[in-house]
Amino acid sequence: MTTLASPLVSPAGLLVSRDRNAVESPPSGPAHGLGQAALAVLPGVLLASAVAASAYGLRRLPGMATFSPMILAILIGIAFHNVVGTPAIAKAGVTFSMRRLLRIAIILLGLQLTITQVIEVGGRGIGIIAATLLATFAFTVWMGKLIGVDRKLAQLIAAGTSICGASAVIATNTVTNAHDEDVAYAVACVTVFGSVAMFSYPLLPGLLHLDPHAFGLWTGASIHEIAQVVAAAFEDGQKAGEFGTIAKLSRVMLLAPVVIALGLIAARNASKNDPPTSASSARPPMPWFVLGFVALVGINSLIAIPAEAKVWVIAVTTFLLSVALAAMGLETDIRKLTAKGFRPALLGALAFVFIAGFSLTLIKLIG
């Protein structure tokens, strides 16, 4: 005859069940919940980190150092996902890397900028950079609509072209919420055409009659990635390289207002499209990480951070961005990318030609 498990009274006066299942039930509480969450994301974070580390290793090969580890990380991630396959156990960690680690990296980008650097560019230089950014973004979104590219993808290509390449693409996607394949496609566009600019610009200063200051401003105002700007600008000498880097970092600072503006536009569109009773719940989250970015720019402007510490901050920031892009690659199905057709690539090419021509014209007229 089966008997029910009866409770016993322990010496401490606590009830203890004879039922072994009851004794072995896991503890509950905040600490246990955090531990479970950490274990859930660990495999994916480790996988994305391994892909990012592989990108750093690949850069040591001859001819590969011109590519940033972020670009190589997403390419390796895409190859791994489409050839080997991303394990299901890594899903949570991959998502964590694309969201949380990305936001931390964008905040840390603020420590690479100071208000003094922006002042060095001058009023005209800042005006040229800002006008080029706004005109390029507006042109790319308008042209995307004209040739039939999805609005969110067009915005990602616009951000990557007009601001700072892959970093701007993934930062902008925090408010546009496009598909991972759109992010990968946009990153591919800005990588390809930024690389074209990196190799072609150094051939043009003499032909276009640009002095080192003007050439540095042109590279900083129009080439996509920071690494690409540095590579191109220093080809024309130390002065051009230093000014091009400062101009580019000033352009990166405009990432914050652009992302905030896109978030406000998205919130307004959501409130228009949803019923009045649910409008408030449909608004996208405020990109607080952008405010963190601005705060660190302020801190870096007021406090002298040791050079050794800055080297580590830049290294950590670049690695975290590489991990985030590796995670995006691990979520990207190449079949979905090819299904988008030729139009997004055409849009990336037109945006590249526009930003190069528009910024050069402004520099010739008022720079």
Side-chain angles (χ1 to χ4, degrees):
M1 182 178 66
T2 304
T3 59
L4 295 176
S6 61
L8 294 176
V9 180
S10 70
L14 300 177
L15 288 176
V16 180
S17 174
R18 291 183 185 272
D19 188 348
R20 181 170 298 179
N21 292 331
V23 174
E24 295 178 352
S25 61
S28 60
H32 179 69
L34 289 175
Q36 280 191 326
L39 289 175
V41 302
L42 184 61
V45 171
L46 290 177
L47 177 59
S49 299
V51 172
S54 300
Y56 278 83
L58 188 60
R59 291 184 77 242
R60 295 180 177 273
L61 297 178
M64 300 301 293
T66 54
F67 298 98
S68 75
M70 293 183 291
I71 303 307
L72 296 176
I74 194 171
L75 293 176
I76 296 172
I78 291 173
F80 183 92
H81 177 73
N82 288 275
V83 175
V84 179
T86 303
I89 194 176
K91 174 68 177 178
V94 167
T95 302
F96 177 86
S97 300
M98 289 191 298
R99 304 291 184 260
R100 300 296 180 86
L101 295 185
L102 167 62
R103 285 164 170 78
I104 294 172
I106 293 172
I107 291 173
L108 291 176
L109 276 175
L111 291 177
Q112 299 183 36
L113 295 169
T114 65
I115 300 299
T116 303
Q117 289 175 321
V118 178
I119 294 174
E120 289 180 15
V121 178
R124 288 185 179 181
I126 293 297
I128 289 172
I129 291 170
T132 299
L133 188 157
L134 293 174
T136 302
F137 194 96
F139 168 83
T140 307
V141 173
W142 170 77
M143 182 57 67
K145 183 177 181 180
L146 190 66
I147 65 177
V149 176
D150 178 74
R151 177 179 58 83
K152 292 183 178 181
L153 177 55
Q155 287 181 344
L156 295 181
I157 294 175
T161 303
S162 63
I163 308 175
C164 55
S167 301
V169 171
I170 54 183
T172 302
N173 192 51
T174 59
V175 293
T176 58
N177 294 316
H179 296 295
D180 292 336
E181 288 77 16
D182 289 347
V183 175
Y185 203 116
V187 169
C189 278
V190 299
T191 300
V192 169
F193 296 111
S195 298
V196 170
M198 178 179 66
F199 290 114
S200 61
Y201 274 39
L203 306 175
L204 302 175
L207 180 64
L208 298 175
H209 306 289
L210 297 172
D211 60 28
H213 183 279
F215 181 71
L217 180 58
W218 187 38
T219 60
S222 60
I223 297 181
H224 304 49
E225 291 277 355
I226 294 177
Q228 295 166 342
V229 170
V230 172
F234 274 97
E235 287 294 317
D236 196 46
Q238 186 72 19
K239 184 178 179 181
E242 291 177 353
F243 194 79
T245 302
I246 294 172
K248 177 61 176 179
L249 291 175
S250 301
R251 182 172 152 208
V252 172
M253 185 175 286
L254 298 176
L255 174 66
V258 169
V259 173
I260 290 174
L262 288 174
L264 294 174
I265 292 171
R268 186 186 64 181
N269 291 337
S271 63
K272 285 182 178 180
N273 295 331
D274 292 330
T277 55
S278 62
S280 60
S281 62
R283 290 179 296 181
M286 176 68 180
W288 296 109
F289 69 94
V290 178
L291 301 183
F293 169 87
V294 174
L296 288 192
V297 171
I299 292 173
N300 194 37
S301 302
L302 298 173
I303 300 174
I305 299 175
E308 297 82 2
K310 277 196 173 182
V311 170
W312 279 102
V313 168
I314 292 173
V316 170
T317 302
T318 304
F319 183 74
L320 289 177
L321 287 171
S322 300
V323 172
L325 279 169
M328 289 181 183
L330 292 169
E331 286 271 298
T332 301
D333 190 334
I334 197 69
R335 292 169 297 182
K336 294 181 180 178
L337 281 179
T338 56
K340 294 184 181 297
F342 178 70
R343 291 180 182 180
L346 174 61
L347 179 62
L350 293 174
F352 161 61
V353 172
F354 180 88
I355 195 171
F358 187 88
S359 58
L360 180 61
T361 300
L362 289 183
I363 290 170
K364 286 289 189 179
L365 292 177
I366 63 175

